[in-house]
Amino acid sequence: MGVPNIDSPEEEIKKWLNHIAVICLSEEFQSLKKELESIYLQSNLDNVRLAAFQDALYAFLAQEEDEQVYSSRA
């Protein structure tokens, strides 16, 4: 699923938001976010919870993109 741009139809944006919500509610996402929060707390990083959330979400989206590229080559 590609990232929608500002001109995307409303339905495409709703699908994208639903997809992100499913990721964020997953056990794997929550586990990674908590692990990152723990690491970031030790690093005295500002906005630990926000940084962990963003990085975990980015990791999941990047992984999906990599899987899509890999599957299209196979």
Side-chain angles (χ1 to χ4, degrees), residues 22-35 56 60 63:
V22 169
I23 289 171
C24 293
L25 293 173
S26 73
E27 192 173 314
E28 295 87 3
F29 176 84
Q30 293 297 322
S31 176
L32 176 59
K33 184 176 71 76
K34 286 181 184 187
E35 183 178 343
F60 271 75
Q63 179 182 355

Side-chain angles (χ1 to χ4, degrees), residues 6-74:
I6 195 73
D7 298 326
S8 295
E10 188 176 337
E11 281 302 312
E12 184 179 338
I13 292 172
K14 285 181 180 179
K15 280 186 196 177
W16 181 250
L17 291 174
N18 186 51
H19 181 68
I20 290 173
V22 169
I23 289 171
C24 293
L25 293 173
S26 73
E27 192 173 314
E28 295 87 3
F29 176 84
Q30 293 297 322
S31 176
L32 176 59
K33 184 176 71 76
K34 286 181 184 187
E35 183 178 343
L36 290 173
E37 285 175 358
S38 175
I39 292 167
Y40 294 170
L41 274 172
Q42 295 172 5
S43 303
N44 293 323
L45 190 68
D46 289 337
N47 297 320
V48 168
R49 295 181 72 197
L50 178 61
F53 177 86
Q54 290 173 330
D55 290 350
L57 182 56
Y58 178 78
F60 271 75
L61 294 174
Q63 179 182 355
E64 285 183 355
E65 186 175 316
D66 287 348
E67 289 171 358
Q68 287 176 352
V69 168
Y70 179 74
S71 67
S72 69
R73 289 183 183 170

